[in-house]
Amino acid sequence: MDFKEILDNLPVVIYTTDAEGRLTYFNAAAVEFSGREPEVGTDRWCVTWKLHNTDGTLLPHSQSAMAVALQEGRPIVGAEAIAERPDGKRVWFTSSPVPMFDDKGEVSGGMNMLLDISEHKFRKQSDALLSAIIDSSDDAIISKNLEGIITSWNNSAERIFGYSVKEILGKPVTVLIPDDRLDEEMVILEELKRGNRVDHFETIRMRKDGVLLHISLTISPVYDSSGQIVGASKIARDITDRKKTEAKLQAMNETLEARVKERTTALLTYQEQLKSLTSELSKAEEQERQRLAAELHDNLGQILAVSKMKLDLMLRDRLPDRANAVAVETVELMNSAITFTRGLMTDLKPPPSLEKESLAANIGWIADKMKKHKLDVTVEEDDQPKVLTEEVRRTLCQCVRELLFNVIQHGKVKKARVILSVIDKQVQVVIEDKGRGFQWNGKRPAPTERGGFGLFNIHERMDWLGGHMQIYSEPGKGTKITLLVPSTNVEPSTATENKNSGMPEHEPTVITGDKRVKVLLVDDHKMVRTGLKNLIEEEKDLFVVAEATTGKEAIEQTRKMHPDVIVMDVNMPEMNGIEATQIITSYNTNVRIIGLSLHEKKDVIEAMKRAGASAYLTKTEAFESLSAVIRSEAAVTGTLYIT
């Protein structure tokens, strides 16, 4: 093999030039290195396309190491530069040109050898960058050998643990571990020897000054070039502040729970059952609806009713034409305000007649309310009894209401169907529509930024009731949601049970001295009772024999005072007028009861009459009709009047 053949097969770049730097020879490695085919006799000083200094600035070929070696007649060893290929790739290399001389000692040409050092440079840069990252990290980064001896220590390790590099290198890592946790190091070393990584292990470590820190550790095995485990790297994050914050939050939660327990035992029972924040929010929402409905009924509604009564009373007298016209117009405005208030009350809370009615009755009421939102809801039911506690029934109704609003908002249809049934001792409620539907993944509902809180909320409520929710939906094929809750085994007690059994039936009263009709006024609002009493006692043949503020008081006063007629408010605390009417009429068939309420809904009126009321008036009608209705009812009580 001749000398040229040897050069051709060398893996390093070799080329030669004449005294003017013109290329006279290059080997195969030069082509691969430069990414081009150099031109003999044309290219000068180097085989590369472009040259750059190590700082990235352009290096003319006439100033390259080969050019300098030829001009100065001296060899140059290991001059660094960067070659740019036509494809844009840049290669770090060293150049070692040697000038060649003729017999007269004149430079006749030169030979150059280029070595690609890119990998070395990149590795060096990478190591420098990695070192900078480690030193600038907020986390302590530590390495140790398999005997647990510390071999490296970054700036954050010094900041967190208080030891300088000089103090800590060569010491066992156990200097950082409290005595009661020394067994952790043995477990960690065993995991490392098996090649296992330890992720986010929360523990306690000790500073140089003895202060204990909460630390999150991530520990990884370190391998040598042969693949053997020779040590471990540790990333330690100080989570002491986070733990303190968590402790404060925990303390605040415990304090809040203690305050809630002090205020209401019922709320505590709910809190123990709630499994997520959504259930608590749902309960708070319902309580607020109840409170607002009660405020409207107990305050604004009563004020409007009494105000209208007084206006009606004014209109009984002869007023100047202009004053009379203004009063009539005010009455009309008052009627509109009362109608609006009634509608708002029933939107917030079902009327008293539905408070203890069946699930179907409540769902039917909800379906009726959907009409004003332009959704026609059909309610279907099987013949089996659906026995539920009041809490479960109320929760089911809330969920059905929310799902029907979902149909309106997302389904974009005008019809929906609710199906009630009993399957395997569970009450089943199915809400379905033929609307747009959505892609359902079959997993547990979870709220996201795009929504989904409603379904998650309902799922959680079903869960803490001991039931569950099933969802079926596909885009363009509608949605079907099934709610299942356990049925209650014990039939609920009814207000028709006569707690005063054995009492003698009320006998007709013969009035020989006082010829007036005895009236019992039952209403929890003093303002209303006062207005009605003044109205009644303006009539010479009527008088108020007693007053009551609750259904229970009404039962007691009826037993003591034997009224001829009872004016019974429907909505009262403790026991409402419907329940009280059922009990009174169960043992006294002679007394006449006139239902009285702000509500003029048909179902409220029917519920009151089913309980035993013989007449019904709204509070806004009272001043116009009450006296006449009392007389009419007294005429059939069996009371004898001596005139």
Side-chain angles (χ1 to χ4, degrees):
M1 182 181 295
D2 60 17
F3 183 69
K4 180 178 180 302
E5 190 176 355
I6 292 172
L7 293 179
D8 285 341
N9 288 285
L10 283 176
V12 295
V13 177
I14 301 291
Y15 68 91
T16 61
T17 69
D18 60 17
E20 302 300 323
R22 287 185 290 269
L23 195 65
T24 58
Y25 166 79
F26 59 88
N27 67 355
V31 176
E32 183 177 353
F33 173 82
S34 62
R36 60 190 287 269
E37 186 77 26
E39 295 185 15
V40 173
T42 301
D43 288 349
R44 299 183 69 185
W45 298 298
C46 195
V47 295
T48 56
W49 182 54
K50 288 183 181 180
L51 285 174
H52 299 274
N53 291 304
T54 55
D55 62 0
T57 59
L58 190 66
L59 174 63
H61 283 70
S62 60
Q63 297 176 17
S64 66
M66 185 62 158
V68 173
L70 292 174
Q71 291 166 9
E72 297 182 0
R74 64 179 179 86
I76 298 174
V77 179
E80 292 188 8
I82 301 171
E84 182 178 349
R85 294 158 50 111
D87 60 7
K89 181 179 179 180
R90 295 192 177 193
V91 182
W92 280 77
F93 70 95
T94 60
S95 179
S96 300
V98 178
M100 295 183 293
F101 301 91
D102 58 17
D103 294 340
K104 297 178 181 180
E106 299 291 333
V107 174
S108 62
M111 176 182 288
N112 199 359
M113 179 176 67
L114 307 183
L115 290 178
D116 185 346
I117 61 170
S118 297
E119 184 176 348
H120 168 73
K121 281 291 183 181
F122 291 150
R123 185 182 298 113
K124 188 175 179 180
Q125 288 178 344
S126 178
D127 289 346
L129 179 60
L130 182 60
S131 177
I133 291 172
I134 290 173
D135 284 338
S136 62
S137 172
D138 288 336
D139 296 332
I141 301 177
I142 307 164
S143 64
K144 63 180 181 180
N145 61 24
L146 290 179
E147 284 70 48
I149 302 302
I150 296 172
T151 56
S152 70
W153 188 260
N154 74 340
N155 293 334
S156 288
E158 182 174 338
R159 174 179 55 81
I160 292 172
F161 293 106
Y163 292 96
S164 67
V165 174
K166 185 177 179 180
E167 289 176 310
I168 201 69
L169 288 185
K171 288 189 177 181
V173 76
T174 51
V175 299
L176 307 175
I177 304 176
D179 291 342
D180 61 344
R181 291 180 177 264
L182 287 173
D183 58 332
E184 291 179 359
E185 180 63 11
M186 296 300 297
V187 174
I188 290 170
L189 286 173
E190 287 301 317
E191 288 295 315
L192 290 171
K193 289 175 182 178
R194 288 194 289 266
N196 296 331
R197 173 186 169 98
V198 179
D199 280 323
H200 305 298
F201 172 58
E202 293 191 3
T203 184
I204 304 292
R205 291 294 181 260
M206 186 167 58
R207 284 173 51 90
K208 179 181 177 180
D209 57 10
V211 174
L212 297 179
L213 304 173
H214 288 275
I215 296 294
S216 175
L217 289 176
T218 297
I219 309 168
S220 304
V222 174
Y223 299 86
D224 63 12
S225 58
S226 64
Q228 297 296 314
I229 298 173
V230 294
S233 66
K234 285 188 176 184
I235 299 176
R237 176 165 295 178
D238 185 356
I239 58 172
T240 303
D241 289 342
R242 192 191 84 189
K243 286 292 185 180
K244 288 180 180 178
T245 301
E246 288 176 355
K248 288 180 181 178
L249 288 174
Q250 181 65 27
M252 290 172 63
N253 286 337
E254 290 174 357
T255 301
L256 179 60
E257 288 177 3
R259 290 176 180 173
V260 172
K261 288 178 182 178
E262 291 173 1
R263 292 181 181 181
T264 169
T265 302
L267 183 57
L268 173 61
T269 302
Y270 261 101
Q271 287 176 329
E272 290 173 350
Q273 294 174 334
L274 294 179
K275 295 182 180 178
S276 68
L277 176 63
T278 179
S279 298
E280 187 172 344
L281 289 174
S282 173
K283 179 172 176 288
E285 178 189 358
E286 177 61 19
Q287 288 176 336
E288 185 64 12
R289 291 170 67 88
Q290 299 279 344
R291 187 189 70 79
L292 288 172
E295 288 289 337
L296 285 172
H297 178 273
D298 295 343
N299 294 293
L300 180 60
Q302 306 303 325
I303 291 170
L304 290 172
V306 172
S307 298
K308 179 166 184 305
M309 291 179 189
K310 291 186 176 182
L311 282 170
D312 289 338
L313 188 61
M314 288 175 56
L315 288 170
R316 288 184 175 185
D317 300 327
R318 292 183 60 84
L319 297 173
D321 290 345
R322 180 168 178 77
N324 188 77
V326 171
V328 170
E329 184 179 351
T330 304
V331 168
E332 291 176 356
L333 291 172
M334 198 71 69
N335 284 335
S336 298
I338 290 170
T339 300
F340 176 79
T341 303
R342 286 173 184 157
L344 190 54
M345 284 191 301
T346 54
D347 280 346
L348 290 169
K349 177 185 175 183
S353 60
L354 289 178
E355 286 181 354
K356 295 190 177 181
E357 287 292 328
S358 68
L359 177 64
N362 281 262
I363 298 295
W365 177 79
I366 293 170
D368 184 62
K369 304 305 290 183
M370 291 295 115
K371 289 179 181 178
K372 74 175 185 179
H373 299 285
K374 298 182 180 179
L375 180 66
D376 184 12
V377 181
T378 303
V379 180
E380 302 174 11
E381 183 187 18
D382 62 12
D383 296 329
Q384 300 183 69
K386 295 156 189 67
V387 186
L388 300 168
T389 64
E390 186 174 349
E391 177 190 1
V392 174
R393 177 173 53 81
R394 185 185 300 117
T395 302
L396 271 178
C397 290
Q398 292 171 5
C399 293
V400 170
R401 182 176 180 275
E402 291 176 27
L403 290 171
L404 289 175
F405 275 117
N406 275 357
V407 174
I408 295 169
Q409 184 176 359
H410 304 294
K412 303 300 182 183
V413 289
K414 301 296 183 182
K415 293 184 179 181
R417 187 165 66 145
V418 180
I419 306 168
L420 311 176
S421 59
V422 176
I423 299 176
D424 296 331
K425 297 183 180 179
Q426 286 189 309
V427 175
Q428 175 177 278
V429 182
V430 177
I431 302 92
E432 63 180 13
D433 66 82
K434 302 297 183 183
R436 294 191 303 181
F438 57 93
Q439 190 64 49
W440 179 244
N441 57 17
K443 297 180 180 179
R444 182 188 184 99
T448 66
E449 293 180 356
R450 293 175 295 176
F453 183 79
L455 291 178
F456 171 73
N457 188 348
I458 294 170
H459 182 279
E460 291 298 307
R461 280 183 277 177
M462 291 298 102
D463 194 32
W464 58 255
L465 287 178
H468 63 280
M469 176 175 70
Q470 299 170 349
I471 301 173
Y472 170 79
S473 186
E474 286 186 37
K477 295 185 178 180
T479 301
K480 178 180 177 181
I481 296 180
T482 302
L483 309 178
L484 289 131
V485 293
S487 178
T488 306
N489 292 326
V490 181
E491 290 283 348
S493 60
T494 64
T496 56
E497 294 175 357
N498 186 0
K499 298 180 181 179
N500 301 287
S501 58
M503 292 181 60
E505 289 191 359
H506 177 59
E507 297 294 335
T509 303
V510 178
I511 302 176
T512 55
D514 194 336
K515 304 175 184 179
R516 295 177 296 173
V517 175
K518 295 187 292 183
V519 179
L520 170 61
L521 273 181
V522 186
D523 196 298
D524 58 326
H525 297 93
K526 183 177 180 181
M527 179 173 58
V528 175
R529 292 198 312 275
T530 300
L532 294 175
K533 184 176 181 180
N534 291 339
L535 172 67
I536 292 170
E537 293 192 341
E538 281 187 357
E539 307 296 328
K540 295 181 180 180
D541 58 336
L542 311 176
F543 82 102
V544 176
V545 69
E547 297 179 33
T549 60
T550 68
K552 290 183 178 179
E553 287 183 15
I555 295 169
E556 294 173 3
Q557 292 292 353
T558 300
R559 187 171 60 245
K560 290 166 56 177
M561 305 305 297
H562 302 289
D564 302 308
V565 178
I566 301 172
V567 179
M568 180 76 75
D569 187 19
V570 173
N571 198 2
M572 293 181 292
E574 295 185 29
M575 179 186 290
N576 64 40
I578 297 172
E579 294 174 280
T581 298
Q582 286 177 318
I583 293 173
I584 291 171
T585 56
S586 69
Y587 68 80
N588 188 334
T589 58
N590 291 321
V591 69
R592 307 296 285 184
I593 298 178
I594 302 171
L596 189 67
S597 175
L598 281 175
H599 291 282
E600 59 180 7
K601 298 286 288 183
K602 183 179 178 181
D603 50 2
V604 178
I605 298 171
E606 290 177 350
M608 193 66 182
K609 289 189 175 180
R610 282 198 305 271
S614 52
Y616 185 93
L617 293 173
T618 65
K619 290 182 180 179
T620 54
E621 298 171 329
F623 267 94
E624 301 171 356
S625 314
L626 185 58
S627 298
V629 174
I630 290 174
R631 291 190 185 95
S632 175
E633 293 300 313
V636 294
T637 60
T639 302
L640 303 178
Y641 298 95
I642 301 175
T643 59

